Amino acid sequence: VVFTGPGNNGGDGWFVAGMLARSGIDVTVVEAVEAKSPDAIAEKSAAIGAVRRVREISPTSDDAAAGARVVIDALLGTGAEGEPRGKIAEAISTINQMHSLGARVAALDLPSGLDATTGHHSACVIADATFSFGGVKRGSLLARDCCGEIVVLDIGLEEKSSRPAKTAASEGEQLPWLVDGAWVMAHVPPIRYDAHKGTRKHLAIIGGGKRMPGSVVLATRAALRSGIGLVRTLVAPENVGEIVAAAPSALISA
């Protein structure tokens, strides 16, 4: 069962429904609110002939829908703000009821009802997996319990977002990056055999309150593991001993 909303996230749901139906999967679409954006209308037109049936809220009166083993949440996308209302709120409640009865729930981009920036949610879909388009949304990281496993899907934005920004406005529109091992391997150049600390750059790490050196220790160790030439820490005098013991290769200033 695919739950769709009025916007482009709903259009993504229609696209998925059509693809699954044409692959031989028995698909029911629950259209909580009729498609309104141009993309959603186009995807609905392309998919509606392939799906088994299209229903309105609530599907729980339909045994085939109520007993579905997989539910796809395509109600709201990243542009949604505020508390869900009306049919959308009812659809979120229905999805969560189906989840409690054993259905597996997959959310497209982020669980409906979850704020993509702040992670705030008064009522949102509880998903087993979230398929995040282009990058991980900050709100998803702040509300991991609602998202299940987060899977990032490449939709062709990385190349565009990695180009040099032409204006301050365009720079603000670039996607946030989640720096992981694969990203580091792709961006940190290999170290030449004849490299030395003068050619491998220097880094200063400032931080740590009195008797709270942990964050500086972790950052210093990570920097040294990266292959950087020299790390200098600037910490409270009370933290010098801990830093020396934890990262003797660093230069330390109090």
Side-chain angles (χ1 to χ4, degrees):
V1 180
V2 181
F3 285 74
T4 63
N8 289 346
N9 192 257
D12 293 333
W14 278 107
F15 175 81
V16 170
M19 292 291 290
L20 291 174
R22 286 187 283 270
S23 298
I25 306 297
D26 191 5
V27 179
T28 295
V29 174
V30 178
E31 193 174 38
V33 179
E34 187 175 357
K36 295 180 180 179
S37 75
D39 286 346
I41 293 171
E43 295 296 351
K44 178 181 177 180
S45 298
I48 196 167
V51 300
R52 180 170 67 96
R53 70 183 72 186
V54 179
R55 295 187 54 86
E56 298 179 351
I57 288 294
S58 165
T60 52
S61 60
D62 185 304
D63 292 340
R69 290 177 293 176
V70 177
V71 177
I72 296 176
D73 164 30
L75 293 169
L76 299 175
T78 56
E81 297 180 345
E83 291 188 25
R85 299 181 298 276
K87 293 294 186 180
I88 295 293
E90 188 177 345
I92 290 173
S93 176
T94 300
I95 292 174
N96 287 338
Q97 289 175 12
M98 297 173 75
H99 187 244
S100 68
L101 294 174
R104 304 287 283 178
V105 176
L108 301 186
D109 214 10
L110 79 166
S112 295
L114 178 66
D115 189 292
T117 301
T118 66
H120 174 75
H121 56 283
S122 57
C124 76
V125 167
I126 306 301
D128 296 295
T130 298
F131 295 93
S132 189
F133 301 148
V136 179
K137 279 60 181 179
R138 181 174 183 270
S140 297
L141 296 177
L142 294 172
R144 289 296 301 270
D145 289 347
C146 302
C147 301
E149 180 182 359
I150 298 176
V151 181
V152 178
L153 302 181
D154 181 6
I155 58 172
L157 298 179
E158 180 175 340
E159 180 179 353
K160 179 179 178 181
S161 66
S162 62
R163 295 172 185 167
K166 295 182 179 180
T167 66
S170 63
E171 183 176 359
E173 294 168 359
Q174 294 185 21
L175 289 172
W177 290 102
L178 177 65
V179 177
D180 57 12
W183 189 95
V184 172
M185 290 292 292
H187 289 78
V188 176
I191 299 173
R192 286 177 51 87
Y193 72 92
D194 59 348
H196 55 83
K197 67 181 181 181
T199 61
R200 284 158 50 188
K201 308 300 181 181
H202 298 173
L203 174 70
I205 299 174
I206 306 171
K210 295 179 180 180
R211 299 300 179 191
M212 299 181 68
S215 59
V216 176
V217 167
L218 293 175
T220 301
R221 286 177 170 172
L224 291 170
R225 288 183 62 189
S226 76
I228 199 164
L230 184 149
V231 177
R232 179 183 297 276
T233 63
L234 303 173
V235 298
E238 292 84 354
N239 295 343
V240 170
E242 286 85 349
I243 303 296
V244 170
S249 299
L251 299 180
I252 302 170
S253 299

